[in-house]
Amino acid sequence: MARRISTTHRVTATAAGWLVGFLIFFPILWMVLTSFKTELDAFSTPPQFLFFHWTTENYAIVQERSNYLHHAMNSIILAFGSTAVALVVAIPAAWSMAFAPTKRTRDTLLWMLSTKMMPPVGVLVPIYLLFRDGGLLDTHIGLIMVEFLANLPIVVWMLYTYFKEIPKDILEAARMDGATIGKELIFVLAPMAVPGIASTVLLNVILAWNEAFWTLNLTTVDAAPLTTFIASYSSPEGLFWAKLSAASTLAIAPILVLGWFSQKQLVRGLTFGAVK
Amino acid sequence: MATQQTRTLGRVLLAPSVILLFLWMIVPLGMTIWFSLLRYNLLDPGTESFVGLLNYQYFLTDPAFFAALANTLILVGSVLAITVIGGILIALLMDQPIFGRGIVRLMVIAPFFVMPTVSALVWKNLLMHPVSGLFAWVAGLLGLPAIDWFTNWPLLSIILIVAWQWLPFATLILLTALQSFDEEQKEAAEMDGTPAISFFFLLVLPHLARAITVVILIETIFLLSVFAEILVTTGGGPGLATTNIAFLVYAQALLQYDVGGASAGGIVAVVLANIVAIFLVRLVGKNLDA
């Protein structure tokens, strides 16, 4: 029996919901609006909401003066590079723990989780010195390594929870039918594992894209992704709000779109399966 | 039934992850512990000497440490309070029959996907600027004096920014938990005429207890390490007003080049985080058995 919901309830809830949603989203909306203003309009009091002189010059200037594309490329390389390496290492591990668990599987999983709890600042000094001595500061390879290791526990965990849901009976059925291990992998398991792997990739790319401790400390120019690039706008002489807004809008747009598709995976990935 | 063969295969498949994570954890951590026992300054290379626990003594008796510890606890505590209470309220609201709920939901979770450097700078300049910021304009409309956020309320400013980033996370998790709440129980309560307030405290809140615990533990882990937001807005200042432990260690290492002292600070940060981590690992472990 469906519950009856009064119209008043519906209207109040809708009004309150939209108001709260709008308030929370407002800083992002304001940033996007500001990115289309002239610097003069961006600073003006009272603020200009919609009826200002719309311009896209900020976007052109951001690319021209500060080589935005170079940093965007670095973000892509770091996010996808570290995710790819993590998958190669994590898929076999998650696979074996989900399909051939031993007495120690539980402890292994929890231990992996505990490595994620280590505050990065606890290992900042040695990592920085190792990178300096190894010539890895401000390089793609160095950053990919760090991001890969920092997120490996989450990747293993997420894959594990997805693989765990693949019914094992299917494997046995396939074996009964005389499928070899190779065929079993390609025709039976892979199709069932792909959605879980895709979700994991999505979440990990988002996390790596926004990671700002290691990127700020270990990159300056060559390998600097968008997090570091935006940080350069914090210097007093660089305070051009419209340009800051344009650069910021470009930096978050792709990941915002990906993020909106990943709500469910986010809950699962970040709570290590404790809330589904 | 796992045979000997599959067990060996399992170990081989697991090995790379375990070995890499082990190295990633143990090598730098071991180095940090070792450095923390040395007098070691990058400006003065070749003069390293073993000084025992002296760095810890300096670090733990430094007034800056207490300021940073207090700031860390205030930051973590305030953000937790705002995000958990706000998250519960917003989740309850989102669970109502809202027209266009999908879109509202998207707007609510959006801040979580904004990189820390962007949210910090957008808030600091576009919203909190004492003259041209939007908050100053709103204050003016209400006939209030504009607040110079980062001069007069630096830590509060950081707290607001970080809370804005984490509110969606709390909301999303609590909403997920709320949606698994038994529809029949809701109906029964409604028929009994249970007042909404007691319905919330007697039935809904206990149901959310577990999700709330998860939110608190996970947020704490991340909030103990807040760094980028401080670096790009205040640089830890004015004075030490917004220096947390993570930022203090960074400043000691990469601004003062005091490797020994910074390492001691890093170990203190690890110990702090571990206190929280133990509870989280236990909780997740329990769930794994269920």
Side-chain angles (χ1 to χ4, degrees):
Chain A
M1 186 182 77
R3 284 193 302 155
R4 271 180 301 120
I5 296 164
S6 70
T7 318
T8 341
H9 184 172
R10 227 178 253 282
V11 171
T12 333
T14 302
W18 277 85
L19 180 68
V20 168
F22 180 76
L23 285 179
I24 293 179
F25 188 68
F26 186 78
I28 298 174
L29 184 66
W30 189 237
M31 175 191 83
V32 176
L33 282 178
T34 307
S35 74
F36 290 109
K37 294 177 184 173
T38 59
E39 290 294 348
L40 211 60
D41 279 340
F43 276 102
S44 77
T45 329
Q48 313 269 335
F49 284 94
L50 287 173
F51 305 107
F52 52 83
H53 173 67
W54 287 68
T55 171
T56 52
E57 65 178 17
N58 299 310
Y59 288 91
I61 295 172
V62 162
Q63 163 54 21
E64 208 174 286
R65 291 217 193 127
S66 49
N67 208 356
Y68 168 84
L69 286 179
H70 165 73
H71 300 291
M73 201 53 197
N74 283 339
S75 272
I76 294 172
I77 292 172
L78 291 184
F80 285 92
S82 67
T83 305
V85 182
L87 279 186
V88 171
V89 177
I91 288 179
W95 196 265
S96 84
M97 288 194 287
F99 287 98
T102 63
K103 268 177 269 165
R104 269 180 301 167
T105 296
R106 181 177 177 278
D107 293 335
T108 311
L109 276 167
L110 291 180
W111 169 76
M112 285 182 171
L113 169 65
S114 73
T115 65
K116 182 68 198 163
M117 314 273 141
M118 187 167 59
V121 75
V123 292
L124 169 65
V125 175
I127 295 290
Y128 185 85
L129 294 179
L130 286 172
F131 268 52
R132 187 196 62 178
D133 297 341
L136 289 169
L137 283 175
D138 208 16
T139 62
H140 291 137
I141 184 86
L143 254 289
I144 287 178
M145 255 161 45
V146 168
E147 300 279 334
F148 145 64
L149 287 164
N151 285 330
L152 182 60
I154 293 187
V155 177
V156 173
W157 259 88
M158 260 186 98
L159 289 172
Y160 170 78
T161 59
Y162 281 112
F163 290 169
K164 197 93 184 122
E165 281 168 14
I166 298 176
K168 286 191 187 149
D169 304 351
I170 287 203
L171 284 186
E172 270 163 38
R175 243 170 253 172
M176 295 279 211
D177 291 342
T180 59
I181 291 259
K183 275 189 183 157
E184 196 178 292
L185 264 175
I186 296 168
F187 295 110
V188 185
L189 292 174
M192 302 185 76
V194 164
I197 295 175
S199 307
T200 310
V201 168
L202 199 57
L203 181 69
N204 200 57
V205 166
I206 293 171
L207 290 178
W209 186 277
N210 288 338
E211 199 285 323
F213 181 82
W214 292 116
T215 51
L216 286 177
N217 278 308
L218 300 178
T219 66
T220 46
V221 181
D222 290 349
L226 292 167
T227 44
T228 312
F229 165 61
I230 299 290
S232 70
Y233 277 84
S234 65
S235 61
E237 63 273 24
L239 281 186
F240 295 102
W241 290 5
K243 281 164 204 79
L244 164 68
S245 299
S248 299
T249 304
L250 287 173
I252 69 164
I255 227 62
L256 200 55
V257 174
L258 281 188
W260 278 340
F261 287 111
S262 72
Q263 301 177 42
K264 282 258 161 58
Q265 293 82 311
L266 189 79
V267 173
R268 191 173 180 144
L270 287 178
T271 61
F272 299 94
V275 174
K276 267 184 209 162
Chain B
M1 203 58 239
T3 61
Q4 184 61 44
Q5 202 190 348
T6 57
R7 239 177 283 149
T8 316
L9 180 68
R11 243 175 251 154
V12 172
L13 294 177
L14 194 54
S17 290
V18 171
I19 293 170
L20 283 170
L21 272 179
F22 185 75
L23 291 176
W24 164 241
M25 195 171 77
I26 219 68
V27 173
L29 196 59
M31 286 173 75
T32 306
I33 294 175
W34 171 239
F35 290 157
S36 76
L37 303 173
L38 301 178
R39 190 176 67 209
Y40 182 177
N41 195 301
L42 290 179
L43 293 179
D44 221 359
T47 61
E48 296 88 50
S49 58
F50 187 82
V51 292
L53 295 175
L54 204 60
N55 284 320
Y56 290 91
Q57 200 187 324
Y58 282 142
F59 191 83
L60 294 174
T61 54
D62 186 351
F65 166 70
F66 291 101
L69 184 63
N71 288 337
T72 306
L73 296 179
I74 295 171
L75 176 68
V76 174
S78 314
V79 174
L80 280 179
I82 297 173
T83 55
V84 170
I85 296 171
I88 292 174
L89 294 175
I90 298 173
L92 285 172
L93 178 61
M94 305 277 295
D95 201 31
Q96 302 297 315
I98 291 173
F99 179 73
R101 178 153 59 182
I103 298 171
V104 173
R105 208 177 134 118
L106 289 184
M107 293 199 290
V108 170
I109 64 163
F112 190 75
F113 304 112
V114 178
M115 56 178 66
T117 44
V118 166
S119 32
L121 286 177
V122 165
W123 273 73
K124 182 186 176 185
N125 295 315
L126 272 51
L127 300 178
M128 288 172 157
H129 190 278
V131 179
S132 309
L134 204 71
F135 289 174
W137 176 71
V138 172
L141 285 188
L142 300 173
L144 301 169
I147 300 171
D148 192 349
W149 288 93
F150 278 94
T151 307
N152 296 326
W153 302 95
L155 190 56
L156 178 64
S157 308
I158 304 267
I159 288 170
L160 289 177
I161 297 172
V162 177
W164 179 71
Q165 291 177 295
W166 283 94
L167 187 60
F169 174 77
T171 306
L172 196 57
I173 296 211
L174 293 168
L175 185 62
T176 308
L178 204 56
Q179 281 168 344
S180 68
F181 192 73
D182 197 359
E183 198 64 28
E184 276 177 31
Q185 238 177 340
K186 255 190 226 173
E187 276 174 38
E190 232 164 63
M191 283 193 212
D192 290 348
T194 317
I197 299 279
S198 45
F199 174 68
F200 172 75
F201 281 103
L202 294 176
L203 291 168
V204 178
L205 207 54
H207 173 79
L208 290 181
R210 189 192 157 75
I212 292 173
T213 318
V214 171
V215 168
I216 291 177
L217 291 171
I218 290 175
E219 278 194 17
T220 307
I221 298 283
F222 284 96
L223 295 176
L224 282 173
S225 301
V226 166
F227 172 78
E229 293 84 347
I230 297 174
L231 180 77
V232 301
T233 56
T234 65
L240 290 167
T242 55
T243 295
N244 65 353
I245 300 266
F247 196 84
L248 184 66
V249 173
Y250 154 81
Q252 202 134 14
L254 299 187
L255 302 180
Q256 296 170 28
Y257 303 107
D258 175 9
V259 171
S263 299
I267 295 303
V268 173
V270 171
V271 171
L272 273 181
N274 271 335
I275 297 172
V276 183
I278 290 170
F279 289 104
L280 180 57
V281 169
R282 265 206 210 143
L283 189 84
V284 173
K286 243 186 237 164
N287 192 59
L288 211 54
D289 297 332

